[in-house]
């Protein structure tokens, strides 16, 4: 049996392979310190709450 993927504050980083930005369908980056998934192309940061990414544009914050 293999070891489970490492988790940071409950977020399973393997989810990054399946998740994309809902606005641009581009790749996301994980910001462990802020507990957010970042879409640089869209300029949005999606929150991670209780280990679950909230992939709603209305819940994302604008980034520079």
């Amino acid at each position: 049996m293999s070891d489970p993927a490492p988790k940071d504050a409950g977020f399973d980083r393997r989810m990054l392979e399946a998740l994309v930005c809902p606005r641009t369908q581009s790749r996301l980056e994980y910001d462990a310190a802020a507990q957010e998934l970042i879409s640089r192309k869209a300029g949005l940061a999606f929150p991670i709450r209780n280990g679950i990414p909230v992939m709603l544009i209305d819940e994302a914050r604008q980034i520079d």
Side-chain angles (χ1 to χ4, degrees), residues 7-9 15 18-21 23 27 30 33 37-39 41 43-44 48 50-51 54 56-60 62-63:
K7 294 182 181 182
D8 292 328
M15 280 200 249
L19 293 173
V20 295
C21 174
R23 178 172 286 164
R27 186 177 152 298
Y30 176 47
L37 294 178
I38 308 296
S39 172
K41 192 171 184 180
L44 296 172
I48 298 172
N50 299 318
V54 180
L56 301 171
I57 293 171
D58 290 343
E59 294 288 322
Q62 287 290 131
I63 59 172

Side-chain angles (χ1 to χ4, degrees), residues 15-29:
M15 280 200 249
L16 281 177
E17 297 171 18
L19 293 173
V20 295
C21 174
R23 178 172 286 164
T24 65
Q25 283 69 53
S26 60
R27 186 177 152 298
L28 298 166
E29 298 173 26

